[in-house]
Amino acid sequence: MDVGVVVNMSGDAARQNDDAAAPSFDRMFALVESDLGRVNQHILDQMQSPVALIPQLAGHLIAAGGKRIRPMLTLAAAKLCNYTGSRHIGLAASVEFIHTATLLHDDVVDESALRRGQDSANALWGNQASVLVGDFLFSRAFQLMVADGSLPVLKILSDASAVIAEGEVLQLTTANEPQTSEEDYLQVIKSKTATLFAAASRVGAAVAERPSAEDAALDSYGMNLGIAFQLIDDVLDYSAKQAELGKAIGDDFREGKVTLPMILAWRRGGDEERAFWRRTVARLEQEDGDLQRAIEIMQSRDALADSVDRARHYGAVARDALGIFPQSEIKDAMLELIDFCITRAH
Amino acid sequence: MDVGVVVNMSGDAARQNDDAAAPSFDRMFALVESDLGRVNQHILDQMQSPVALIPQLAGHLIAAGGKRIRPMLTLAAAKLCNYTGSRHIGLAASVEFIHTATLLHDDVVDESALRRGQDSANALWGNQASVLVGDFLFSRAFQLMVADGSLPVLKILSDASAVIAEGEVLQLTTANEPQTSEEDYLQVIKSKTATLFAAASRVGAAVAERPSAEDAALDSYGMNLGIAFQLIDDVLDYSAKQAELGKAIGDDFREGKVTLPMILAWRRGGDEERAFWRRTVARLEQEDGDLQRAIEIMQSRDALADSVDRARHYGAVARDALGIFPQSEIKDAMLELIDFCITRAH
């Protein structure tokens, strides 16, 4: 599950920043803050509809905050490519609409009662409204792209949308299968998370009409950052740090969602541990204390620490992808974002 | 619910055609048959995915037949506009994908167990897969449009998609409300059915790059045909004719979906009848014999016959919309299609 980073800079992130060594989100946020304000306004304008339930439900999810990391990638990439127009605003909103539509449908699929610590839209308005408002936001995303008028951008985002949906279907087939391979897991998180990170980044190069090498570099940056981000998200679902931030842990475990920490624990475990995973994850027969037991097994098998190491690998690839761009404030912020995404696990 | 006409020409429609006076689907079918074969092949090719569940589930719905009336409108409109290229094939497939995605999500929203007389996809594979495969088909529809490369076509279909989703949400708010106004009902069926009929027809003019008067005429033809089509569908759900065709009746009643026959019956009924509608539709407290009672009330209040009359009105508008086109075989077939859509109520 994509639980994400905290963008409210007044709280934890600000405190974290007091520690000079800790990577933070502040620099990125400061550089794109004014553009992001315009994106937020555009999002609010474009989610309006004479059908009152649409802005109500969309507003619950969109206006509630959330990290806006995907539209931020579009804004940052456009800046990195020295883009000076304003097309990136509408397209960043479009990216966020695609993401929000996906979240609404995800919550229906997962039967989630909570999203970002609040009641989820489907818990409040029912699955029906969540499915249909998701469809509306998805359609609206395409309307925004059509209004922008760039076929290359439409191609980037329609291709990404198809891959995301494919990844979500693939994820259904890996659920409750602790024997899932690391490759299949990677395929799922690439499709359902990293592809939109990559597409969001590429849109920045597309509006700036940069050469294909820069498009490819931003594709790689977004894809690898997205993989690292999702790996860390999946670690956080078993992490004490996450619990400290006041967020629920164990959602994936309770749903029988198979992520890398569990895959590693399964592969490294003996018969007795595999029987535990079969009972709790494959058959979803869970008792009090099982989540704690799962975390203890993962720790004893180094499954959490090694999942973070895997994330570091993808972070390193993302870093080198930006090597073709000259040094700049925004490049530094994009590099720091990689580190921030990874270190939030600690 | 959109249950539609029967396209298999070997059965009822062929018999119906023995009666020289009865409008049929045959002429239209014969004129677009070879193009429709190409569309069907394109649909089969484009619903492939390495994720096996996608072609399985999509194939259940798409390959199972269905009427293909929407892609047929694109093919017919292109022919009416003397289009000689092949762009209409991929775009007709795109229209059918949008429709199929909508059906998949509709069945989840309605919790339908049957679709076209077969187990619905959500009954067979679960709501999760239906939501996600619907998302995939919707994304694939946009990929097909992007491959076609026409921004005007993308605008027609992305605008239509947003209106469809809006209409579906609006429909949620009219459910179980027998006091729904005729205007609100019309708004729902325009959005959820007629808008895609109109868009499908307009795409034919768009590929032929015809002047805006022809685009407007096809918009009006599709919109009014779609309204008539949905009105008749809603009548058929209470019709003996429908039962004769071996199709279930009473789905709308059981779900508390409010359509014109019920709206008219409510407005024309007295206190005792309104109490019946409140119990069965607003509170969904239904007993054996209630569906029969509902049909009897509708008949005694002329609600079914007058709903067909309303459909005739829209059919007449659709007919006149085509007045700007010179006589041709395809125009005659498009006019006959209007009559066929309406007379299937008898």
Side-chain angles (χ1 to χ4, degrees), chain A residues 49 105 109 128 135 159 166, chain B residues 49 105 109 128 135 143 166:
Chain A
S49 160
H105 288 183
V109 167
Q128 303 176 318
D135 289 350
D159 286 351
E166 229 164 21
Chain B
S49 160
H105 288 183
V109 168
Q128 303 176 318
D135 289 350
Q143 287 183 298
E166 228 164 24

Side-chain angles (χ1 to χ4, degrees), chain B:
Chain B
M1 185 175 316
D2 173 343
V3 284
V5 301
V6 177
V7 285
N8 181 340
M9 291 295 106
S10 62
D12 305 297
R15 274 193 298 283
Q16 192 172 46
N17 203 34
D18 291 345
D19 176 357
S24 98
F25 206 67
D26 293 6
R27 194 192 316 222
M28 169 66 83
F29 189 74
L31 287 171
V32 300
E33 189 173 11
S34 78
D35 276 356
L36 198 58
R38 293 168 68 198
V39 173
N40 283 335
Q41 189 55 52
H42 207 65
I43 286 173
L44 290 171
D45 294 346
Q46 291 295 326
M47 73 187 194
Q48 293 312 312
S49 160
V51 180
L53 185 56
I54 289 175
Q56 278 169 23
L57 195 152
H60 174 75
L61 197 55
I62 291 179
K67 46 200 167 299
R68 301 273 198 273
I69 191 165
R70 294 159 189 81
M72 207 175 280
L73 287 172
T74 300
L75 302 177
K79 193 180 277 281
L80 183 73
C81 294
N82 298 312
Y83 177 65
T84 53
S86 60
R87 289 174 51 205
H88 60 324
I89 304 297
L91 293 173
S94 177
V95 165
E96 186 69 0
F97 277 149
I98 291 175
H99 173 57
T100 307
T102 309
L103 290 187
L104 280 168
H105 288 183
D106 264 4
D107 282 344
V108 171
V109 168
D110 295 345
E111 297 169 354
S112 302
L114 291 175
R115 160 71 59 191
R116 293 173 189 156
Q118 301 192 352
D119 288 334
S120 63
N122 55 315
L124 288 172
W125 285 280
N127 283 343
Q128 303 176 318
S130 292
V131 170
L132 298 175
V133 174
D135 289 350
F136 174 79
L137 292 176
F138 196 59
S139 303
R140 183 52 50 94
F142 277 92
Q143 287 183 298
L144 288 171
M145 290 179 240
V146 170
D148 174 70
S150 158
L151 283 164
V153 167
L154 275 154
K155 177 158 171 54
I156 290 170
L157 289 170
S158 63
D159 286 352
S161 297
V163 170
I164 292 166
E166 228 164 24
E168 301 267 0
V169 178
L170 182 63
Q171 187 172 33
L172 285 184
T173 66
T174 67
N176 308 104
E177 289 284 0
Q179 315 93 310
T180 298
S181 68
E182 182 163 345
E183 288 72 20
D184 280 352
Y185 164 79
L186 264 178
Q187 189 57 44
V188 167
I189 68 171
K190 267 190 194 175
S191 305
K192 73 180 216 96
T193 303
T195 293
L196 191 55
F197 275 59
S201 305
R202 290 181 64 197
V203 168
V207 292
E209 297 177 2
R210 300 299 303 166
S212 66
E214 295 186 19
D215 171 66
L218 283 163
D219 187 29
S220 174
Y221 169 79
M223 182 68 78
N224 286 286
L225 174 67
I227 295 171
F229 176 88
Q230 189 61 53
L231 274 162
I232 297 299
D233 246 20
D234 291 345
V235 169
L236 284 170
D237 202 52
Y238 293 98
S239 121
K241 174 72 183 296
Q242 176 94 330
E244 280 166 28
L245 288 171
K247 291 186 181 171
I249 62 169
D251 284 347
D252 293 345
F253 181 72
R254 275 184 292 274
E255 292 171 17
K257 193 175 280 185
V258 177
T259 61
L260 191 61
M262 189 185 296
I263 290 169
L264 297 181
W266 167 274
R267 291 191 176 244
R268 296 169 183 184
D271 288 348
E272 190 269 337
E273 288 180 7
R274 290 188 181 180
F276 170 81
W277 298 118
R278 270 194 291 267
R279 171 175 64 79
T280 56
V281 174
R283 300 200 299 274
L284 276 185
E285 296 166 10
Q286 299 186 6
E287 302 161 4
D288 282 355
D290 278 345
L291 173 61
Q292 192 50 44
R293 171 91 204 279
I295 293 172
E296 284 162 11
I297 295 175
M298 287 174 178
Q299 284 169 338
S300 74
R301 298 293 181 185
D302 292 326
L304 294 166
D306 288 354
S307 293
V308 175
D309 264 358
R310 299 285 209 276
R312 279 201 194 91
H313 160 79
Y314 292 102
V317 178
R319 167 174 292 276
D320 283 318
L322 292 191
I324 63 166
F325 292 96
Q327 194 274 329
S328 67
E329 270 197 314
I330 190 70
K331 178 176 166 179
D332 289 346
M334 290 172 80
L335 295 173
E336 189 175 354
L337 181 62
I338 303 171
D339 294 334
F340 176 71
C341 282
I342 292 168
T343 54
R344 71 199 167 102
H346 299 303

